[in-house]
Amino acid sequence: MVRFSRVLLKDAGVAIDKTLSEILVCPLSKQPLRFCEKTKSLVSDTIGVSFPIKDGIPCLVPKDGKILEEESDASKA
C-alpha cells in the first residue's frame, strides 16, 4: 500500500492523481481541494487557502496553509 501511495504522489508536482484528489479535503473547511498548476499547490476555494506540496506530499497541516490574496487587491497594487 505504501508503494502504491508513493506512485500516486510521485508526480504530484505535475498533477494529483484523480483518485487521490477525490479523497483529499481541506483540513479546515472539509471541502474539496483543487490542484493549482500555477503554484503547484492544493487550493481550498471555499476559504481561500493554499496548501503546498513538498516532495510530492501534500502538506495539509492548517499552519502550513497560506491565505490567498484576492485578485482585485493584487490588481490595485
Side-chain angles (χ1 to χ4, degrees):
M1 182 67 177
V2 172
R3 181 173 290 208
F4 179 69
S5 297
R6 286 186 182 168
V7 170
L8 287 177
L9 294 171
K10 178 181 165 190
D11 297 323
V14 176
I16 295 287
D17 182 83
K18 185 176 180 179
T19 305
L20 185 59
S21 67
E22 291 172 357
I23 296 170
L24 294 177
V25 296
C26 173
L28 301 170
S29 69
K30 308 299 187 245
Q31 297 300 313
L33 295 167
R34 69 171 172 85
F35 178 72
C36 177
E37 300 240 354
K38 182 179 177 185
T39 61
K40 305 292 188 225
S41 62
L42 294 172
V43 177
S44 173
D45 292 320
T46 307
I47 60 173
V49 175
S50 173
F51 295 95
I53 298 174
K54 298 179 183 174
D55 297 324
I57 301 171
C59 299
L60 299 177
V61 177
K63 69 176 184 147
D64 290 339
K66 294 185 178 164
I67 298 173
L68 300 173
E69 293 183 22
E70 292 184 29
E71 289 182 27
S72 60
D73 291 344
S75 63
K76 291 179 184 177

